[in-house]
Amino acid sequence: MCGPGIIDERTRNTIAAHAAKFREITMSPFGPDDEIGMLNLISPEKSREVMRAADGGAAIDLSVDYFIGMPSWTKAGDPGFQQWMTHTPVGTVLDDITGVGTEQNELVAYSGDAMSMYTHCGTHIDTLNHFGYHGKIFNGYEAAQCISSRHWIKCGADKFPPIITRGVLFDIAGLHGVDVLPENYGIGAKDLADALARQQVEFRPGDVALVRTGRMQYWPDTDRYINNAPGLNREGAEFLAEAGAAVIGADNLALEQSPSPDAENWQVVHTYLLAEAGVPIMEVVDCETLAGEGLYEFAFIGACMKVRGATGAPMRPLAMPLLP
C-alpha cells in the first residue's frame, strides 16, 4: 500500500490534528502536562523496530555545517551565526592566562573558541512554544504564566527526547521532474500523496516526514536559498499531521511557502502545526543524498541540544537505510 497508512480509531484519537479547530489552541490528547505533542506517537517498540532494521554502516548526515555568513533568519533582528577564538597557542604564551608559565604554555598548544547564534540557525528543530495564538501555545499553556525572565518554562527543547523512528522522504522536486521547485510554490495534499505513490512508500503514524523542495541546491547562497521559497501550504501540512507525523521537516529555511498566501497570518503552517496539531518542525534539512540514492524510507535518528526552555535548538539528524 502506498500513501498514508490506515489509522484505527484508537490511534486517531491520539493525533491532535483530528481535534484541531481553525486558529485555535488544541489540548493534547496525551494529557494536561504534555509538552512534546506528537513525539508521543513514537513508542519504544517503534524505535526498537526501526533500529533492528537500520544499517548503521551507511548513515547519511542530514545537517548543514555552521559557519560565519551562513544563511539564517535575520530579518527580525535575530543574530546570525558567529564564532571566535577564545584561546590560541600564541596568545596563551603571551597572556599566561593559565598561570602555568611560559615553558608549559609553549609545550601545550591550547586552542579554544566560542559561538553565538539564533536558536533557529542551521539544521534545527522548532519546539511547541515557538508559535501559538493570542499568547497561548499547544496544550493551553499561556505566555503570561509560563515564561520566566529568561525563557519559557513549558515545551522547551530540553523536554524533547531523542527521536528514533522511521523516516519518509517526500521528494516533491523529483515528482515534478525539476531540480528545484518554482519560487513560492505551495506543496499541497495532492503533491504529497502523488509523491508517496511514485515512490511506492507508505506513511505511518509516528513517522518523520521530510519534504524536499530542492532548495538545498542553492545553499549557501543566502538570497537564493531564503527568498520566495517553495514549501508546504496549510493543506499539505494538514495532510501530514492528520496522517500522524511525529515531526515534519524540509530542506528550506522555514518549511512553509514564503511569503505567506494568507494576508492575515504570516506563518500559516507554523501556527497550524505547532499550536493546532502539536507537530514539531525541522528546517534546513539536507535531503539531497536521500533523493539522489532514491532512499525514500529509512531509520531516522536525531537529538537536539537540551537548551532549557528554548523555542528551537540545533540538531544533527541522521538517516540510515533499512535492511531487508
Side-chain angles (χ1 to χ4, degrees):
M1 176 180 177
C2 303
I6 297 174
I7 300 175
D8 59 41
E9 190 64 24
R10 181 179 179 182
T11 302
R12 180 186 174 90
N13 290 337
T14 65
I15 297 173
H18 290 289
K21 296 181 180 179
F22 185 66
R23 293 185 183 173
E24 293 186 16
I25 297 297
T26 302
M27 301 304 294
S28 175
F30 295 96
D33 297 326
D34 178 42
E35 300 182 53
I36 64 172
M38 295 305 98
L39 290 180
N40 285 293
L41 295 174
I42 305 173
S43 67
E45 182 51 41
K46 185 176 179 71
S47 297
R48 293 188 190 102
E49 181 182 0
V50 77
M51 287 306 297
R52 283 193 289 265
D55 182 358
I60 297 170
D61 192 342
L62 303 177
S63 65
V64 298
D65 52 342
Y66 286 74
F67 56 93
I68 295 173
M70 66 186 291
S72 179
W73 170 255
T74 58
K75 290 183 179 179
D78 298 288
F81 179 79
Q82 293 293 329
Q83 181 180 14
W84 62 95
M85 299 297 297
T86 57
H87 303 285
T88 64
V90 173
T92 302
V93 172
L94 294 175
D95 299 338
D96 191 23
I97 199 167
T98 60
V100 298
T102 300
E103 186 174 349
Q104 284 197 53
N105 285 327
E106 288 179 341
L107 172 67
V108 180
Y110 176 27
S111 295
D113 51 6
M115 64 182 183
S116 68
M117 62 180 174
Y118 184 38
T119 54
H120 299 267
C121 184
T123 307
H124 67 277
I125 193 165
D126 292 354
T127 62
L128 300 180
N129 59 23
H130 186 35
F131 278 96
Y133 293 119
H134 303 294
K136 294 183 179 181
I137 60 172
F138 182 74
N139 213 17
Y141 297 119
E142 297 187 29
Q145 300 172 355
C146 298
I147 296 183
S148 69
S149 59
R150 298 294 184 186
H151 51 70
W152 277 90
I153 60 174
K154 294 291 185 180
C155 300
D158 55 308
K159 304 298 175 64
F160 275 13
I163 301 168
I164 303 173
T165 189
R166 179 173 175 267
V168 173
L169 176 69
F170 291 78
D171 185 3
I172 309 304
L175 171 71
H176 291 287
V178 297
D179 292 332
V180 184
L181 290 175
E183 290 189 353
N184 193 235
Y185 182 87
I187 298 170
K190 186 176 187 305
D191 291 303
L192 298 165
D194 287 351
L196 290 177
R198 171 180 174 266
Q199 298 166 186
Q200 296 291 295
V201 174
E202 179 184 57
F203 189 79
R204 305 164 191 160
D207 286 352
V208 166
L210 298 182
V211 180
R212 177 177 177 263
T213 69
R215 270 277 161 141
M216 192 54 66
Q217 296 198 25
Y218 293 161
W219 183 272
D221 185 320
T222 296
D223 289 340
R224 296 186 75 196
Y225 181 72
I226 292 179
N227 295 331
N228 302 311
L232 279 183
N233 59 26
R234 177 164 174 135
E235 179 193 77
E238 289 176 347
F239 176 89
L240 293 175
E242 291 174 3
V247 182
I248 300 173
D251 59 353
N252 57 7
L253 185 75
L255 181 67
E256 58 191 282
Q257 68 178 128
S258 175
S260 170
D262 187 340
E264 297 180 349
N265 185 346
W266 65 283
Q267 290 284 279
V268 176
V269 172
H270 274 69
T271 48
Y272 166 69
L273 287 177
L274 298 176
E276 296 182 43
V279 180
I281 293 169
M282 283 193 302
E283 294 157 331
V284 197
V285 182
D286 188 348
C287 300
E288 291 305 292
T289 301
L290 292 177
E293 295 184 3
L295 191 61
Y296 301 123
E297 58 179 325
F298 44 87
F300 177 93
I301 301 176
C304 66
M305 291 178 62
K306 292 181 70 173
V307 184
R308 190 172 296 179
T311 63
M315 67 186 302
R316 190 171 187 177
L318 303 174
M320 299 179 186
L322 297 174
L323 297 170

